[in-house]
Amino acid sequence: MFSKACEVYQSNVANVVDKGVNPSHSERRSVPCSECDGARKAAAMVDAATIEKLEAGFSKLQASDSKSLLKKYLTKEVFDALKNKKTSFGSTLLDCIQSGVENLDSGVGIYAPDAEAYSVFSDLFDPIIEDYHNGFKKTDKHPPKNWGDVETLGNLDPENEFIVSTRVRCGRSLEGYPFNPCLTEAQYKEMEEKVSSTLSGLEGELKGTFFPLTGMSKETQQQLIDDHFLFKEGDRFLQAANACRFWPSGRGIYHNENKTFLVWCNEEDHLRIISMQMGGDLKQVYKRLVTAVNDVEKRIPFSHHDRLGFLTFCPTNLGTTVRASVHIKLPKLAADKAKLEEVASKYHLQVRGTRGEHTEAEGGVYDISNKRRMGLTEYDAVKEMYDGIAELIKIEKSL
């Protein structure tokens, strides 16, 4: 179901028209003549086979009892308004919705095949973003990046009674490249080379090694599995979104010597940048992430949108893209799940099982993280988690 047009349009990478995405690119376009206009219109038409798949997919979705945000907001009116549209990378509505159509049990059901999709298909993306990100309206604007004062955070659990480990991650997309479904194998390799050489320039505690997934030895593979660093080929949701093409080309993992700093290259997003360590010292974990992101950003420009913040493949990660989490033991609070959820929702926290979504809390250990990523700064997103966890520990101690 992959849109062939993605490959045809690779040459248009520099001609991103959308003013929200890297506006300087639009200056590179020459003045259109009527002949070019005609050619552009012909190229911009969505082919009959894609329309047919779209119509079939829309019918399947409507007839289902899917609870996804895709089904909720893809009305007939929106569908008709968008089915003939294309981004300059050649992405169609089909590229956005095919995962949600194939996986009717999706929670969201939509991905952006390239940065422009957020603008071209905004009639669908905007209400989904508003629903998921707690009322972030299409008139709202995500604030500029602000890591805040790292020194105001601290160690949430100096006695190591409750917190097993702490982790903060963010996602980034490289400017000038589409997202996974529209990347060619050559682009995957080019990006891996860019990322690998950039990371090799990191110094101090961030200094480490890049391991390409292609040609990885069994020993290295086993070591990365033991460290819980290795990512696998995408799940069925990503597979259906065509996010796993040319696997494992262009994919890789970087980590520092202490194994407290990790970068995933071309997993779900172009980059996942992760800082982590045992215990509850959020200040140290956050500081490491901020240092790393600022350093990498000097060398590689990232995709950023004036209104939506940092752009990612999945709309749930937009904005700050920051997820700050702890693995925490709260045996007494866990016995009163309603109380746990009540405090968590007050601080906009998400409570998940030990291994993330749809898993159980093994040995009473929960994965608790900030829920909000849009409409607030990076610092505020992390501070919400900090304050919420401090409150949970205080209640646990009092029980």
Side-chain angles (χ1 to χ4, degrees):
M1 285 170 92
F2 166 65
S3 169
K4 272 281 176 235
C6 284
E7 285 162 1
V8 177
Y9 272 69
Q10 293 307 323
S11 59
N12 288 354
V13 161
N15 292 335
V16 178
V17 198
D18 173 19
K19 295 287 187 284
V21 186
N22 314 324
S24 58
H25 288 182
S26 59
E27 293 157 18
R28 301 178 197 164
R29 249 184 216 271
S30 53
V31 179
C33 65
S34 56
E35 192 180 325
C36 297
D37 252 1
R40 197 174 291 119
K41 274 177 189 155
M45 290 190 63
V46 176
D47 63 88
T50 301
I51 294 285
E52 198 178 317
K53 284 176 188 167
L54 269 168
E55 296 284 2
F58 179 70
S59 301
K60 177 183 171 184
L61 190 66
Q62 292 310 305
S64 75
D65 58 358
S66 173
K67 303 286 187 290
S68 71
L69 294 180
L70 173 65
K71 181 175 180 194
K72 185 174 175 182
Y73 294 107
L74 187 62
T75 61
K76 181 79 175 105
E77 188 185 0
V78 170
F79 178 78
D80 287 338
L82 300 181
K83 67 181 181 186
N84 287 300
K85 290 192 172 182
K86 243 187 205 183
T87 70
S88 77
F89 290 98
S91 305
T92 68
L93 182 62
L94 183 62
D95 293 304
C96 302
I97 71 168
Q98 57 192 358
S99 181
V101 166
E102 205 162 303
N103 298 288
L104 296 170
D105 57 342
S106 297
V108 179
I110 188 171
Y111 290 101
D114 60 59
E116 274 182 72
Y118 284 112
S119 301
V120 175
F121 304 106
S122 60
D123 289 355
L124 179 57
F125 276 105
D126 285 349
I128 287 175
I129 287 167
E130 183 175 342
D131 191 313
Y132 186 87
H133 291 281
N134 301 306
F136 185 88
K137 299 178 183 61
K138 61 179 178 187
T139 49
D140 289 342
K141 194 173 177 184
H142 183 74
K145 181 182 70 176
N146 181 5
W147 297 108
D149 182 1
V150 177
E151 299 302 321
T152 56
L153 301 171
N155 190 335
L156 281 160
D157 184 23
E159 270 78 57
N160 292 321
E161 287 177 73
F162 307 98
I163 297 176
V164 180
S165 60
T166 304
R167 182 176 183 263
V168 186
R169 64 96 164 141
C170 66
R172 289 290 185 269
S173 302
L174 275 59
E175 190 180 296
Y177 290 92
F179 301 155
N180 284 353
C182 291
L183 285 169
T184 62
E185 187 166 17
Q187 284 176 316
Y188 266 120
K189 288 176 175 172
E190 189 182 300
M191 286 166 79
E192 181 191 13
E193 180 53 45
K194 231 178 227 189
V195 170
S196 167
S197 63
T198 297
L199 296 175
S200 69
L202 294 176
E203 295 294 337
E205 74 155 339
L206 300 175
K207 192 177 173 62
T209 312
F210 186 86
F211 302 94
L213 260 59
T214 307
M216 185 180 281
S217 72
K218 282 274 179 277
E219 296 76 36
T220 302
Q221 194 175 6
Q222 194 52 53
Q223 185 58 59
L224 290 170
I225 289 168
D226 293 345
D227 292 329
H228 304 289
F229 286 177
L230 192 69
F231 58 87
K232 300 186 181 79
E233 191 169 350
D235 58 23
R236 62 190 166 93
F237 300 97
L238 291 171
Q239 294 269 4
N242 276 313
C244 311
R245 301 165 76 236
F246 313 115
W247 184 274
S249 262
R251 277 76 169 189
I253 294 165
Y254 174 94
H255 69 74
N256 66 346
E257 284 160 24
N258 295 337
K259 299 183 179 177
T260 54
F261 173 66
L262 179 68
V263 179
W264 284 354
C265 175
N266 284 323
E267 183 240 5
E268 177 178 322
D269 284 310
H270 295 167
L271 291 180
R272 280 277 167 94
I273 303 170
I274 305 158
S275 172
M276 66 211 159
Q277 68 190 50
M278 302 309 284
D281 196 341
L282 181 61
K283 173 181 163 180
Q284 213 173 17
V285 174
Y286 183 58
K287 193 173 188 173
R288 186 184 303 118
L289 181 88
V290 174
T291 305
V293 175
N294 287 337
D295 200 331
V296 173
E297 199 167 21
K298 284 178 200 154
R299 307 154 195 255
I300 303 179
F302 296 138
S303 251
H304 188 272
H305 190 285
D306 288 347
R307 192 177 80 74
L308 301 174
F310 287 100
L311 296 176
T312 51
F313 181 46
C314 181
T316 63
N317 289 321
L318 290 165
T320 62
T321 79
V322 166
R323 182 175 187 266
S325 62
V326 291
H327 271 175
I328 186 168
K329 289 178 285 195
L330 300 165
K332 294 172 184 168
L333 252 178
D336 185 354
K337 200 76 191 291
K339 182 69 178 166
L340 177 62
E341 291 288 357
E342 182 196 320
V343 179
S345 68
K346 180 183 164 190
Y347 288 94
H348 306 290
L349 298 180
Q350 185 174 29
V351 180
R352 311 202 291 190
T354 313
R355 298 184 187 277
E357 264 178 311
H358 318 304
T359 64
E360 293 302 310
E362 296 167 16
V365 175
Y366 288 94
D367 176 314
I368 303 180
S369 63
N370 63 300
K371 208 179 201 169
R372 301 205 298 165
R373 314 207 204 293
M374 282 192 95
L376 73 173
T377 67
E378 287 76 3
Y379 175 78
D380 290 337
V382 173
K383 187 72 166 68
E384 272 191 343
M385 186 277 252
Y386 184 81
D387 294 342
I389 296 297
E391 182 67 13
L392 286 170
I393 289 175
K394 190 172 139 194
I395 294 168
E396 180 71 17
K397 282 179 171 174
S398 73
L399 291 173

